Amino acid sequence: MTVTAAPRTPAEGGNDFVVVANRLPVDVTVTPDGTRSFTPSPGGLVTALSPVLERNAGCWVGWPGTVDGGMEPFRTDSGILLHPVALTATDYEEFYEGFSNATLWPLYHDLIVPPTYDRTWWETYREVNYTFAREVTSVAAEGATVWVQDYQLQLVPGILRQLRPDLTIGFFLHIPFPPAELFRQLPWREEIVRGLLGSDVIGFHLPQNADNFLTLARSVAGAPGSHTGQPDSLNVEGRASVREISAHITAPDGRRVGVAAFPISIDTASVIDTAAQVDAADIRHRLGDPETMILGVDRLDYTKGILQRLSAYEELLESGALDPHDSVLLQIATPSRERLEHYRRTRARVEEAVGRINGRFAEVGRPVVHYLHRSLGKQQLFGCYVAADIMLVTPFKDGMNLVAKEYVACHGDGSGALVLSEFAGSATELNRAFLCNPHDGDSVKRQLMIAVNMLRDTPDEARDRMLAMHSQVVEHDVDLWARSFLDALRSH
Ligand code: GDG
């Protein structure tokens, strides 16, 4: 299918504010008689955007998570219209698993595994982006604001700009944006850049991501092999700053596109509230009342460095730095993208390591690693955060990492310690963490032991560090993220 844009008329009685994301914020339940029902799922993005959507008669456009047929739009209890986009099984394989998660995901995470460049996947990505954009045009009122989310939908701003020039369009990327020299590998790089430039404002987590994009925009349109007929390079002014627009790109159609960093955060007040209700002592008791409880919480993704964290822990047990009678590592690994080869391989290696470490160091009835490969309820998850002495967050690359912020939010009493990869976006704000380089096993081990020893020997110092980070997430919550992006978009 060719993506040609026939202008669309605004939806009568449509919505003034539309969020479009790959997934709808719903959980699908199938009853024994086969009836499907949809309940809103309580993700961070939903919590952040719900008040804005409610105030503005808003609508959320996205895929409901099933490939077996369509579904009617419906309203949540709070009045938000959920507008489903139907995807086929082939769309799911080629657009979602293929181009989004086996091409863009590894490319944007610094090639931790090699990306696959497949023309068929790319064509499906374009088609599905076109489908999402068409759905937006059917629900957006004249002059509406549309906020497009994440790497799966990078062509949507450009398509919308052609279909509906009356719209105000924002785009936010939830994962890192790679350095230009990596991005330039992508055979369809110009189309992606032009797709993003359909926006009025493009937001990233960090100024460094935004600067990568600005550098790329300076060069990619006129790169050798360019067949776009665009000028040699796009005109770029300024440098990216945080929460305000101080950098602009002049798009090929003459519009000024604002670029800035808007570090995402969590619904801190609600995390603190939930954390106050958990029984952390019970969790520690069920783990055998260890002296040191270490925690890891991640989607099971090769970017998260789970295997490297297990290896560091194993070596510390081996050397005697950690005592297997007194230490427990609880690793919660939420299932993710399980049909993709690299994910299957990562899972196999992680599970092999868990088995090996327990085989070497566990006693009967007393494992040294507790491993859960499933998703926990929020209450239980936050109970683990509160209970843990040390949180290990060791991604090789991560846009932000909300788990680190959630842990810190749960430790308003100053207890606990965060060992955090310097390659997680959150390391910029949580700079009182024990920062480590996950590519260097010695660095992970060293920072983990500094944290263990500080909690034991100089607890006041550990407490100061945690309290400083706690204030950071109290003052910079997800509401600030949403407000600052939308204010920038409005005043652009
Ligand atoms: C992408 C970017 C960026 C995890 N296990 C369970 C569970 N979770 C929740 C956590 C947290 C969320 O999932 C994970 O968010 P992260 O930010 O840590 O990581 P990604 O999924 O990779 O998110 C990332 C983010 O988008 C936002 O822009 O920060 O860099 O990669 O909220 O609590 N929740 C429940 N049970 C679990 O077992 N209920």
Side-chain angles (χ1 to χ4, degrees), residues 185-243:
Q185 288 189 3
L186 187 67
W188 309 282
R189 57 200 187 182
E190 293 143 30
E191 285 92 331
I192 297 276
V193 173
R194 278 186 292 136
L196 290 170
L197 289 177
S199 316
D200 293 292
V201 170
I202 308 174
F204 300 88
H205 286 308
L206 305 180
Q208 189 197 351
N209 302 144
D211 282 331
N212 284 346
F213 181 70
L214 294 169
T215 305
L216 176 76
R218 280 193 189 95
S219 67
V220 78
S226 168
H227 48 79
T228 59
Q230 298 299 328
D232 273 352
S233 63
L234 295 159
N235 188 25
V236 176
E237 304 151 36
R239 277 180 69 86
S241 57
V242 178
R243 293 187 200 93

Side-chain angles (χ1 to χ4, degrees), residues 80-233:
I80 300 167
L81 179 65
L82 299 185
H83 187 89
V85 178
L87 295 187
T88 65
T90 307
D91 291 339
Y92 181 77
E93 273 168 40
E94 297 180 356
F95 152 75
Y96 179 72
E97 294 187 320
F99 199 77
S100 297
N101 288 319
T103 305
L104 294 175
W105 180 268
L107 179 65
Y108 284 32
H109 287 88
D110 290 358
L111 315 184
I112 297 165
V113 305
T116 303
Y117 300 119
D118 180 311
R119 174 159 291 282
T120 312
W121 292 356
W122 159 249
E123 279 162 9
T124 308
Y125 182 84
R126 285 172 69 208
E127 286 167 18
V128 171
N129 271 245
Y130 187 68
T131 305
F132 273 84
R134 292 271 301 196
E135 295 292 346
V136 171
T137 64
S138 72
V139 298
E142 169 84 36
T145 295
V146 178
W147 193 2
V148 185
Q149 308 288 327
D150 225 358
Y151 64 104
Q152 303 92 350
L153 302 180
Q154 293 174 102
L155 302 179
V156 168
I159 301 168
L160 277 180
R161 179 65 57 197
Q162 291 181 53
L163 293 176
R164 288 282 303 276
D166 59 294
L167 299 174
T168 298
I169 304 167
F171 178 88
F172 187 80
L173 185 71
H174 289 262
I175 65 175
F177 194 85
E181 63 270 26
L182 294 189
F183 184 86
R184 288 172 63 148
Q185 288 189 3
L186 187 67
W188 309 282
R189 57 200 187 182
E190 293 143 30
E191 285 92 331
I192 297 276
V193 173
R194 278 186 292 136
L196 290 170
L197 289 177
S199 316
D200 293 292
V201 170
I202 308 174
F204 300 88
H205 286 308
L206 305 180
Q208 189 197 351
N209 302 144
D211 282 331
N212 284 346
F213 181 70
L214 294 169
T215 305
L216 176 76
R218 280 193 189 95
S219 67
V220 78
S226 168
H227 48 79
T228 59
Q230 298 299 328
D232 273 352
S233 63

Side-chain angles (χ1 to χ4, degrees), residues 294-462:
I294 304 167
L295 177 66
V297 175
D298 316 77
R299 274 187 309 99
L300 212 169
D301 193 298
Y302 52 78
T303 58
K304 302 288 185 182
I306 302 170
L307 184 63
Q308 288 62 24
R309 171 185 321 164
L310 287 167
S311 303
Y313 179 59
E314 180 176 22
E315 286 175 27
L316 289 171
L317 292 172
E318 192 173 61
S319 68
L322 286 176
D323 182 346
H325 300 104
D326 278 343
S327 314
V328 159
L329 169 62
L330 168 60
Q331 175 65 52
I332 298 160
T334 315
S336 184
R337 305 172 193 168
E338 297 210 280
R339 301 196 320 171
L340 298 185
E341 175 60 22
H342 287 295
Y343 286 78
R344 281 209 297 265
R345 205 177 301 158
T346 303
R347 178 179 172 190
R349 287 189 184 152
V350 163
E351 294 184 353
E352 185 201 14
V354 170
R356 185 185 63 242
I357 299 168
N358 276 330
R360 292 181 68 192
F361 300 105
E363 301 284 350
V364 172
R366 200 179 163 83
V368 287
V369 184
H370 291 251
Y371 168 77
L372 304 183
H373 181 245
R374 59 175 180 270
S375 186
L376 301 188
K378 273 270 175 261
Q379 190 94 11
Q380 223 188 336
L381 176 66
F382 288 10
C384 297
Y385 287 145
V386 176
D389 301 302
I390 295 181
M391 182 85 214
L392 263 183
V393 179
T394 57
F396 293 120
K397 191 81 185 171
D398 217 332
M400 177 55 66
N401 196 291
L402 296 179
V403 163
K405 291 191 171 182
E406 288 164 354
Y407 177 75
V408 163
C410 288
H411 286 263
D413 62 353
S415 63
L418 172 66
V419 176
L420 178 61
S421 162
E422 60 191 74
F423 298 102
S426 50
T428 310
E429 293 167 286
L430 304 180
N431 54 11
R432 302 293 305 277
F434 297 87
L435 294 177
C436 69
N437 172 5
H439 298 275
D440 171 6
D442 288 340
S443 159
V444 179
K445 287 194 288 179
R446 193 165 50 242
Q447 293 305 316
L448 177 53
M449 288 317 297
I450 292 174
V452 169
N453 293 333
M454 192 181 288
L455 285 174
R456 190 190 54 219
D457 302 334
T458 48
D460 287 349
E461 198 181 341

Side-chain angles (χ1 to χ4, degrees), residues 264-299:
I264 203 169
S265 192
I266 54 171
D267 183 1
T268 313
S270 118
V271 173
I272 291 174
D273 209 42
T274 311
Q277 297 163 34
V278 302
D279 187 351
D282 176 59
I283 291 174
R284 288 187 77 102
H285 184 63
R286 284 190 278 144
L287 291 170
D289 287 319
E291 178 115 344
T292 306
M293 173 185 163
I294 304 167
L295 177 66
V297 175
D298 316 77
R299 274 187 309 99

